[in-house]
Amino acid sequence: MEFQDCFPIWAKLSEAQRGRILASLVYRQVKKGTVLHSGADCTGLLLVESGQLRAYILSEEGREVTVYRLFDRDICLFSASCMLRSAQFDITIEAERDTGLWVIPAEVYRGVMEESAPAANYTNEVMAARFSEVMWLVEQVLWRSMDKRVAAFLLDEAAIEGTARLSITHEAIARHLGTHREVVTRMLRYFQGEGMVSLSRGTVELLDEKRLAGL
C-alpha cells in the first residue's frame, strides 16, 4: 500500500507540498511491544499502514490507562504535539501488534499545514476527534462504575479481535483501564458467577454479550 493511498488529503496538496512530504517520509516496521513515542518527545506524525497501536498515559505511580487505539490508515498527531505550540501531551504510543507505519517529521507537516487550508482543516478534525476520545475517557473514569468499564472494554476488545475468546490477562485489562489487577479479577469473577464470561489462564471468553452490553 502506498502512502498516497492512505493520506486522506493527498489530492488537495500542491506538487511542492507533496514533494516535501515524500522527501522526508520514513517507513517503519515495528514488532508488537515496541514503544514508538514516550512523553513529550516530538516523534512526528504517525500514519498506520497496517497493524495496531495503543496510546496511553502513565501516572506518577506507574499506572497506565489507554486513551485510544490506532488502526489501519489512522493518524496520530499527539506524537507530534510540539507542532501545536500551545499544547503538549505526555503520552506513550506502543505497538499492540506487528505494525507498518509512516513517520512524517513534525516540522515538515507544520510547514505544509501553515500553507494549506485543507491540511489545517484535516488536522483540526483529527485533533477534535482525539479530544472527544479523551473527554469520553475522563467521563468513564469519573462517573462510571468499574463493572461497567470492564464490560465495555471486553465488548470493545471482542469487536477489535473479531472473536469472543480473548487472549488477555487480568493485568493487561487493568493497564488499559488504569486500575489494579485485583479489581479486574474481582469484576471478572463476578461476571463468571453470573454466567456472562468464562475464565481460564490468560483467556476471557464472552458467553453472554447481550447482558454485558446491558451493563
Side-chain angles (χ1 to χ4, degrees), residues 72-158:
D72 297 4
R73 300 191 180 210
D74 280 345
I75 193 166
C76 183
L77 296 176
F78 284 1
S79 55
S81 61
C82 59
M83 74 177 188
L84 307 168
R85 296 184 180 89
S86 61
Q88 294 289 312
F89 304 96
D90 288 334
I91 199 163
T92 302
I93 299 168
E94 179 183 28
E96 285 196 301
R97 296 179 181 171
D98 292 352
T99 300
L101 69 148
W102 292 279
V103 182
I104 311 172
E107 65 275 10
V108 172
Y109 189 81
R110 180 166 54 198
V112 171
M113 188 174 63
E114 289 172 350
E115 297 173 5
S116 167
N121 291 338
Y122 171 68
T123 304
N124 289 335
E125 289 172 5
V126 173
M127 287 301 290
R130 294 293 175 233
F131 274 121
S132 293
E133 291 178 294
V134 171
M135 292 310 298
W136 181 87
L137 172 64
V138 170
E139 183 180 276
Q140 303 305 299
V141 172
L142 290 178
W143 308 120
R144 294 189 82 185
S145 59
M146 188 53 66
D147 61 338
K148 292 178 171 61
R149 292 183 63 205
V150 173
F153 174 82
L154 293 175
L155 291 169
D156 286 344
E157 197 71 9

Side-chain angles (χ1 to χ4, degrees), residues 23 36 67 72 81 114 121 166-167 207:
L36 294 157
V67 181
D72 297 4
S81 61
E114 289 172 350
N121 291 338
L166 305 176
S167 296
L207 301 178

Side-chain angles (χ1 to χ4, degrees), residues 194-215:
E194 293 293 310
M196 290 184 279
V197 305
S198 174
L199 304 177
S200 57
R201 187 173 181 85
T203 303
V204 180
E205 185 172 4
L206 280 57
L207 301 178
D208 195 336
E209 295 187 30
K210 186 175 180 179
R211 287 183 66 197
L212 286 170
L215 285 175

Side-chain angles (χ1 to χ4, degrees), residues 48-60:
V48 179
E49 178 193 30
S50 62
Q52 184 174 316
L53 305 180
R54 168 185 175 233
Y56 63 91
I57 52 178
L58 197 62
S59 74
E60 292 182 0

